[in-house]
Amino acid sequence: MGTLTIRMPDDKHSRLKQLAESRGISVNKLVEELSTIALTEFDAYNRFRLMAARGNVTEGLRLLDKLDGLS
C-alpha cells in the first residue's frame, strides 16, 4: 500500500473532514472512495473512446435512432 501526501488549503481540508465525519468515515477513506470514483470514470471514458475509434459510424447511428424510438 502506498502513502500519499496532499497539500491543500486549510479550508478545503476542513470541508473534507466535515464531509468524512458526516459519512462516518475517515478523511483517508473518503479520499480513497473519491479516487475510486475518479478512476472508474477515467477507465469508462477511455474504454468508450477506444470502442468509438474501432466502431462503425453507420451502426452507431442506427443504434442511436433505435434508442430515440424508445422514448
Side-chain angles (χ1 to χ4, degrees), residues 3-61:
T3 301
L4 175 67
T5 301
I6 302 173
R7 299 188 195 290
M8 67 177 67
D10 290 339
D11 60 322
K12 187 177 289 185
H13 178 261
S14 178
R15 292 184 67 207
L16 285 172
K17 188 174 180 180
Q18 289 174 346
L19 176 59
E21 288 174 357
S22 75
R23 294 182 178 189
I25 59 176
S26 67
V27 173
N28 187 71
K29 183 66 177 169
L30 176 67
V31 171
E32 181 184 349
E33 289 178 1
L34 294 174
S35 65
T36 298
I37 292 167
L39 289 171
T40 301
E41 291 175 356
F42 178 71
D43 290 345
Y45 174 80
N46 285 324
R47 190 170 46 251
F48 286 119
R49 281 188 59 118
L50 180 61
M51 287 171 50
R54 293 179 179 168
N56 179 309
V57 174
T58 304
E59 178 66 8
L61 292 173

